[in-house]
């Protein structure tokens, strides 16, 4: 007897269930990093487009004193404890794609306790995206491969970024110079189509610090691409 059509395979016609991953981020910067995250989440090419990423910057209204690396990690650990409990209650497992993530994005700048912040984050299984001397290093790599030391001075990295051809004009066709405050705003043309270049340069400079235990001396350095790809599930922008 012929089998009924549609019954040959019980799974026929069924679509794999779409998943939803919650990503919570704590940023040192009040403007630049949140602006970057907004651009990437809205314009990035997703690796798993049928799944959903829900990304929230948790400390948008935090005071400056709570935005330094160690307090940032401490706040993130509290959130991570809460998030894990909720995930386990929902029967989500650590190996599942939709297991939540908590990220800390901070810089070397002139901060103290960088190794301690890293150690606590590692112990708590938080994700860290770190830039030395500051986030402007990651932005600069969208324009050029910079491998020399900045001596830990963030303003030097920011000044070099502002000197890049066409950078000022991303704020408007008649803009010729960019103030410190204006430069904190991330504009689309500073990022669009430049990700693969920035990642390649960043991976090159980060490999120079493999095995060095003190993150204070990783100059220059940024692993921001790990947040883009592992946190936001984006492969390009």
């Amino acid at each position: 007897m012929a089998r009924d059509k549609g019954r040959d395979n019980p799974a026929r016609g069924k679509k794999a269930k779409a998943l939803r991953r919650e990503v919570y981020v704590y940023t040192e910067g009040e403007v630049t990093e949140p602006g970057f995250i907004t651009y990437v989440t809205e314009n990035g090419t997703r690796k798993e487009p049928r799944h959903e990423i829900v990304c929230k910057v948790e400390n948008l209204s935090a005071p400056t004193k709570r935005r330094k690396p160690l307090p940032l990690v401490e706040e993130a650990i509290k959130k991570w404890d809460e998030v894990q409990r909720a995930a386990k209650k929902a029967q989500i497992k650590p190996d599942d794609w939709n297991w939540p993530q908590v990220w800390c994005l901070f810089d070397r700048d002139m901060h103290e306790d960088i190794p301690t912040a890293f150690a606590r984050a590692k112990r708590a299984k938080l994700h860290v995206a770190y830039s030395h001397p500051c986030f402007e290093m990651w932005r600069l790599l969208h324009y050029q491969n910079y491998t020399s030391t900045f001596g830990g001075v963030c303003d030097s990295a920011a000044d070099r970024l502002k000197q890049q051809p066409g950078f000022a004009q991303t704020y408007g066709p008649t803009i010729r110079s960019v103030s410190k405050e204006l430069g904190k705003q991330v504009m689309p043309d500073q990022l669009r189509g430049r990700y693969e270049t920035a990642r390649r340069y960043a991976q090159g400079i980060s490999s120079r610090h493999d095995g060095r235990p003190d993150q204070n001396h990783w100059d220059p350095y940024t692993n921001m691409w790990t947040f883009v790809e592992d946190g936001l599930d984006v492969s390009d922008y």
Side-chain angles (χ1 to χ4, degrees):
M1 178 168 50
R3 289 176 290 186
D4 292 341
K5 291 183 179 180
R7 294 186 180 179
D8 296 350
N9 182 355
R12 178 178 294 173
K14 291 185 179 179
K15 294 182 179 179
K17 182 181 179 181
L19 302 176
R20 181 178 187 266
R21 178 196 294 165
E22 296 177 347
V23 179
Y24 301 89
V25 189
Y26 288 78
T27 69
E28 180 179 338
E30 298 180 52
V31 177
T32 309
E33 289 92 326
F36 171 77
I37 292 169
T38 296
Y39 175 83
V40 175
T41 54
E42 292 180 354
N43 299 277
T45 301
R46 291 283 314 284
K47 292 190 288 184
E48 293 286 350
R50 67 189 182 87
H51 295 329
E52 181 183 6
I53 292 286
V54 179
C55 180
K56 181 182 179 183
V57 179
E58 283 289 304
N59 64 328
L60 283 174
S61 60
T64 301
K65 66 181 181 180
R66 298 304 299 173
R67 289 180 173 276
K68 297 179 180 181
L70 190 52
L72 201 74
V73 168
E74 292 171 347
E75 294 295 330
I77 289 174
K78 296 176 185 176
K79 184 65 178 181
W80 183 222
D81 290 341
E82 171 192 328
V83 166
Q84 286 186 94
R85 288 195 297 270
K88 291 174 181 176
K89 186 175 181 179
Q91 298 185 333
I92 303 173
K93 300 176 181 179
D95 291 336
D96 292 341
W97 186 92
N98 55 329
W99 179 250
Q101 297 182 10
V102 176
W103 283 80
C104 293
L105 276 54
F106 59 80
D107 308 333
R108 168 63 180 98
D109 218 334
M110 302 303 290
H111 297 305
E112 300 177 354
D113 297 325
I114 292 289
T116 302
F118 263 92
R120 292 191 183 178
K122 182 178 180 179
R123 187 162 58 247
K125 298 183 179 179
L126 295 177
H127 299 275
V128 172
Y130 173 64
S131 298
H132 193 317
C134 55
F135 189 77
E136 277 61 37
M137 181 64 203
W138 170 243
R139 297 175 69 191
L140 177 62
L141 294 179
H142 287 69
Y143 287 87
Q144 74 166 106
N145 187 18
Y146 191 89
T147 60
S148 300
T149 177
F150 281 109
V153 180
C154 182
D155 285 349
S156 296
D159 288 344
R160 182 168 288 272
L161 174 64
K162 288 185 245 184
Q163 294 166 6
Q164 296 303 307
F167 180 82
Q169 286 69 50
T170 63
Y171 295 96
T174 62
I175 302 296
R176 294 292 176 265
S177 63
V178 179
S179 67
K180 184 175 182 179
E181 289 305 310
L182 182 61
K184 292 180 181 180
Q185 299 179 29
V186 177
M187 305 303 287
D189 285 344
Q190 298 167 9
L191 304 174
R192 187 182 294 116
R194 301 175 185 265
Y195 174 67
E196 291 187 6
T197 295
R199 177 184 59 187
R200 183 173 72 254
Y201 290 159
Q203 289 174 336
I205 63 171
S206 66
S207 65
R208 298 160 53 191
H209 303 292
D210 289 345
R212 299 184 66 183
D214 189 345
Q215 297 85 4
N216 286 320
H217 302 305
W218 296 1
D219 185 9
Y221 178 89
T222 182
N223 67 331
M224 198 58 58
W225 84 89
T226 62
F227 169 65
V228 171
E229 299 196 4
D230 299 339
L232 301 182
D233 191 56
V234 165
S235 61
D236 199 5
Y237 53 69

